[in-house]
Every structure is written in structure tokens, then in C-alpha cells.
Amino acid sequence: MSLLFTSRQLTATPTPPKYQVQVINKTPTIEMSSNSTPSITSLYPEYRTTTRLDHLRSTAYSYLDAQSHTYLDYTGSGLCSSFQLAAHEARLASTLYGNPHSVNPTSEAATIAVEQTRKRILKHFNADPEEYAVIFTPNATGAARLVGEGYQYKRGGRLVLSADNHNSVNGMREFAKRKGVKVEYVGISGTDMRIKEHDVIEKLPTRYAGVIGKVRKVVTAPVKGCLGHLSSAPDSGGRIALPMSEKQQYQNHHHQSMGKTEEKRGGGERRNGLFAYPAQSNFTGVRHPLHWVPLAQSRGYDVLLDAAAYLPTSRLDLSGDIKPEFIIVSWYKLFGYPTGVGSLIVKRSALAKLRRPWFSGGTVKAVTVGVKWHQLSDRLEEAFEDGTVNFLSIPEVAVGLDWLDSKENPPSPPPSSSSSSSSPCPSPDSTGPNGERNGVGGMEILETRVRCLTGYFLERLQNLRHSDGRRMVEIYGPTDTKMRGGSVAFNLVDARGKYVDERLVAFESAAAGISLRTGCFCNPGAGEAAFGLDIWTSFSRLPLPTLWSMWRGQGRDKELSFEELLRVLGLPTAGGIRVSFGVASNERDVDCFFEFVEKTYRDRVTGKEGLPDRMGC
């Protein structure tokens, strides 16, 4: 099945499968027996404090029940409320917007909307605008790339990554390797798939790296740093004297001052490299300690914090001791809309450590062709935003944050006639009959609901058994709610004790109107830990020519297919199943999932016959 979500409706349309799927109970009917698991409120009484979200489920997210759909993939994407869609439509109907790189009225309108959104984002993080900047990117991946390609390591510096990382962060190692920088991973330990703090400390040695050189009064080719670049013309003699901007003078003065300070200590600038890790695992839901940020900084490392999986249900406060240099965000993860907008939230002081490998429209103050010279925009945010930003969608980030933070009472339920509207996603007024704002009510209520649902789900998941008493599930990661978010990774086990192929679960759950995630979740390190893989030992089984071709990247015709790679690694399956909760989740969603699993897989022997080959992970 594929989901088509427009501003007016969410509809499910069948995609013809390449093999026959047995459709089991397309719309599950919940009939809990008297000896079933206790209700969620008996296990988590605080769940009652989140009933406001039940009201929103029946109004702002009514399309879910109108479609009899169970959505359990909030780590993949948040859901958009009808209020957000109505606000977007009203804004575009009342205001004209144009390319912001000008001063005409439509351009000014776009510029103001974008700048207001920057301020709203910093407010959400409780961040000082004098300390932090917001750079808009296409997604969290784009934010990670800005750091990966531009970060300047000192001699002997290193890139340290947690093994539990999304591929968008893992990919930064390719930039580091091309710069001759050592890449280290901090491994995952134990059945709860956490990372031990002493392992983090061990991978973050405190030796100084590099020495700051003297700053010249004459700018030579090529100019270093993010504030200006110069390449001399072939016949120019290789050196051109140019006046320095105020920012260059400040930067030079700052570096000279630092150099003198470190000279007295007998070393260079204390910057040993970059440490990158997620605040929350997108695979297991594990929440890694935020105090690793100041820990790494105290050891001379800048920190990139991947907050993409953390922010949908928790707030990151940048007013205290937790102040990463770089934070990557994807906004649709929080509230579903807009897509195609992410952010790099960055310390202004850290921007001086990034060098752009190129320039483009919108990033430059001036460019010459006769002399191959350019200077980046004086506004550092613009210097890192390639081309025209998505000025029609960026303001919707502020709308989404307002929707999450609004603490006023929700409006009264609509008349019953509205529930029978032909549109499953109507656009209600943004206020109730008494002028109340229709919103989530703050991150605290959302975090409480997701924690309760996650704990309730884990409790029932661990109790799943076949008729002979054998377990039906293997869970990856914590089995309680301590230091974890709302994502749960697991595999189903059939009546013979074999893993149920995740492809089969994907097709059969889709046929039952359930959206969940299957595969390896773009997190190979967590996958390797979940299955206990020793990659070096597995690869040693390959013929030397094949291994050499893989390492050298020689031609796609010599690459292993994904199915061949699985055989080499000895994997019983290619990944797992992930269920995650969010703003519109409720107890009924959990009931629907278990009704489906029990009726479909209890006492069943499954196979791989008829399943298409996997093309990748």
C-alpha cells in the first residue's frame, strides 16, 4: 500500500504486489479478553493527564480514524494537523511572497517571514541569538553535510562517531578520510544497546592538536576561512593585497589572542576534533546522555548532536550547560509539515571552523571573474544557505512550533455532522468557539503520553507467546522506559523459532492498514550490535579480489548484491521492525497492533517464498 497525503485528504491506494499476500483482518476489531493485559491507565495512571491529545486525535488528526488507519512510524515522520494545513492555506491566500534576494514588497514579505522563523526556532531552544544561528537546509542530512564538508581539523585531530548513528552522520567520515583525518567509533555494549561512558572518554584523548600560525596582514591566495576566498589570476604573480573586513580583523585578533594564551601554556589551540552522536537512537530509542556534550568539550572536542529523533517528543534547552557546537534537525519529524526543510543550529563561534568548498547564488557578497575572487555574505547564515531558501515552506516551521507549544484549552468538539464530511482531513478554525487556541499543549504532555504508550507497548510485547509458551518477539534495546524515547525495535519469531522475515511483516501490516517501519533504519552500527556481528571476521571470508574491489570501490559490476552481502555476514534477516509513537497516538493504536500480530503470527510457520529480493538497506 502507498499513502497519498494531500492538503485535503489522506487516502490509501493499493500498489499491485509482485506476489500474493494473504490479507488478514484488514480492519482489526478489538476484543480484549478478561485475562488480557491491564489497561494503560492501570499501569501508567499519569496517562490520564494527556486526554487533551485524545481530543486532537478526533479533530485535528481525524483522518486517521476516518481511514481506519493505525500510524506507528513517528520516528520516520510526524503527522500534520489540519490546523497547520489551514494556517498554510490562509497565509498564502492573504500574502504575496517572492524571492527574498531583493527589496521589493514580495521579497520583503518573504525575508520577514524567514527571519521571524529563525527567531521562533531559537526561542524554542531557549537559545541566545548572539550565541547561536539558524541555517536552513533541505533536511537533517543537508545540515550534517555542511559540517562534514566544511569542518577544519587541526593536525592530528580526529572524527569520533558513536556506533549508534544515522547514516547521514556516518557519511561525514568520508569527508574526514579525504582530509587524512583519523575516524574512530565508540562501540555499543550490552543487551540494552547503550554506549558506556568510559568508552566515550577513551575515544576522546585530550592531547592538543595543531598549532595556530601567524596571521598575515596581506591576504594571499587562497584565503582560508569561511569569510572570504581568493584565487589569484594566472598572471597576477600569486599575491593580491586586499583590505580586510571588520569580521576578518576580529577573527584575526581573536586567533592572535588565543595563540598568545596557548603559547603561554606551551601548546596550540585546544581543538582535538569533532565528536558526533545522537541524542536519541533512531533504531532502538535509546537516549544517550546529553552531558556527553560538555564532557567532550572539556576534552577539546567540538560536538555535533543529531537531535532529529529526540526533538519530536522532547525539548532541547540551550540556555544551560548543554551547548553543542552543531545541532542537526529535520522539522517534518516534529510535526509532519513542511517536508524539505531542516536546520543546522550552530554556535556562531563554530562557524569560523567551517570552510565552504564552493559558493553559489545567495551565499556571496561579491564575485569577480577577471580575478577569480569571491567573498561570502556578511550574514553568516546566508553564507551557508545555497541558492534560494524554501521561503514558502520555512514559515510553516514557526506554525508547527506554535502548534506544539500552545497550552490553551482545545476548542469544543465539532458537531457530529462534521465527522461525516467527505474530506478525511478537514481544515478547522484555528480557534474554538470561545477563542481558545487549538494546540498540543506543550512538549511535557506529549513526552508523558509517548512514555506511557511506549512502556505499555513494551509490557505487552514481552508477554507475546505462542501456544506452547515460546516467545514471539526479540527486542533490541531497553525493555523499560528509563533513558529511552518512543521507538521500539524488534523482530517477530515464528512457531519454529525462526525470525519472521521483515519483508513479510511489511506487506501484511500494510494490508491491515498499519504503518510501521521495517528494515535496518539507516543505522548499520545499531544493526550490527543487535545481531552480534563481527564485520571484520565476516569480510575475511570473502575472496581477496572481491574484498579489494569493495575497499577500492572499483566498478559497480564488481559489487556484491545486497542478498550476497547478507549471506557473507551470516544474517538471519536484513533488519527488524520498528514501532514508534507520537502526538496522535493512543491506546487503541497499541490494541490494533497486537490484535494484528496475534491473529497473523501466533503459532504460524513463515517462510521467504515469493518475497522479492532486497535491493539495499
Side-chain angles (χ1 to χ4, degrees), residues 552-564:
R552 300 284 294 178
Q554 295 178 346
R556 298 188 66 85
D557 58 323
K558 298 181 181 180
E559 291 180 354
L560 291 175
S561 71
F562 190 69
E563 294 291 343
E564 289 172 330

Side-chain angles (χ1 to χ4, degrees), residues 132 290-295 297 317-324 347:
Y132 278 95
L290 292 177
H291 72 253
W292 288 353
V293 174
L295 170 66
Q297 291 168 333
D317 189 339
L318 299 179
S319 66
D321 296 331
I322 310 302
K323 293 178 178 286
K347 277 187 176 180

Side-chain angles (χ1 to χ4, degrees), residues 412-434:
S412 300
S416 58
S417 59
S418 64
S419 63
S420 60
S421 170
S422 60
S423 172
C425 186
S427 297
D429 294 335
S430 60
T431 58
N434 299 317

Side-chain angles (χ1 to χ4, degrees), residues 418-581:
S418 64
S419 63
S420 60
S421 170
S422 60
S423 172
C425 186
S427 297
D429 294 335
S430 60
T431 58
N434 299 317
E436 311 99 328
R437 181 68 177 277
N438 188 356
V440 171
M443 298 302 294
E444 295 77 11
I445 188 173
L446 178 53
E447 187 166 16
T448 297
R449 168 156 288 217
V450 169
R451 176 177 53 80
C452 294
L453 285 169
T454 303
Y456 183 56
F457 182 84
L458 282 165
E459 182 79 17
R460 294 182 63 174
L461 199 63
Q462 294 175 80
N463 290 331
L464 277 179
R465 292 288 187 274
H466 292 289
S467 296
D468 60 4
R470 290 195 291 180
R471 63 187 176 89
M472 288 181 64
V473 171
E474 181 171 337
I475 300 173
Y476 307 116
T479 56
D480 57 26
T481 59
K482 296 177 182 177
M483 284 293 291
R484 64 128 61 242
S487 300
V488 181
F490 57 96
N491 264 311
L492 294 173
V493 180
D494 74 3
R496 295 180 304 175
K498 304 285 187 181
Y499 288 130
V500 178
D501 193 288
E502 84 284 352
R503 292 168 294 179
L504 184 63
V505 176
F507 282 106
E508 294 187 337
S509 61
I514 299 174
S515 287
L516 46 74
R517 184 58 60 100
T518 60
C520 53
F521 321 126
C522 298
N523 190 329
E528 291 166 19
F531 292 107
L533 292 180
D534 182 341
I535 297 298
W536 285 105
T537 300
S538 298
F539 277 4
S540 67
R541 304 187 190 106
L542 289 170
L544 188 58
T546 301
L547 190 61
W548 180 253
S549 296
M550 288 174 62
W551 239 248
R552 300 284 294 178
Q554 295 178 346
R556 298 188 66 85
D557 58 323
K558 298 181 181 180
E559 291 180 354
L560 291 175
S561 71
F562 190 69
E563 294 291 343
E564 289 172 330
L565 179 61
L566 293 181
R567 286 193 287 273
V568 168
L569 297 177
L571 278 170
T573 184
I577 305 161
R578 187 185 71 196
V579 163
S580 51
F581 301 99

Side-chain angles (χ1 to χ4, degrees), residues 268-289:
E269 180 187 8
R270 193 183 182 193
R271 176 150 55 92
N272 296 314
L274 180 64
F275 175 45
Y277 78 100
Q280 178 177 313
S281 172
N282 75 306
F283 191 113
T284 62
V286 163
R287 286 192 169 171
H288 301 294

Side-chain angles (χ1 to χ4, degrees), residues 5 63 107 114 118 142-143 167 192 237 241 263 290 313 371 378 380 391 408 428 449 477 488 509 569 574 614:
F5 186 20
Y63 52 81
S107 179
V114 170
R118 290 190 211 274
N167 273 339
D192 59 355
E263 239 177 12
L290 292 177
T313 56
V371 176
D378 286 339
L380 294 185
F391 59 87
E408 289 79 9
R449 168 156 288 217
V488 181
S509 61
L569 297 177
R614 303 177 181 91

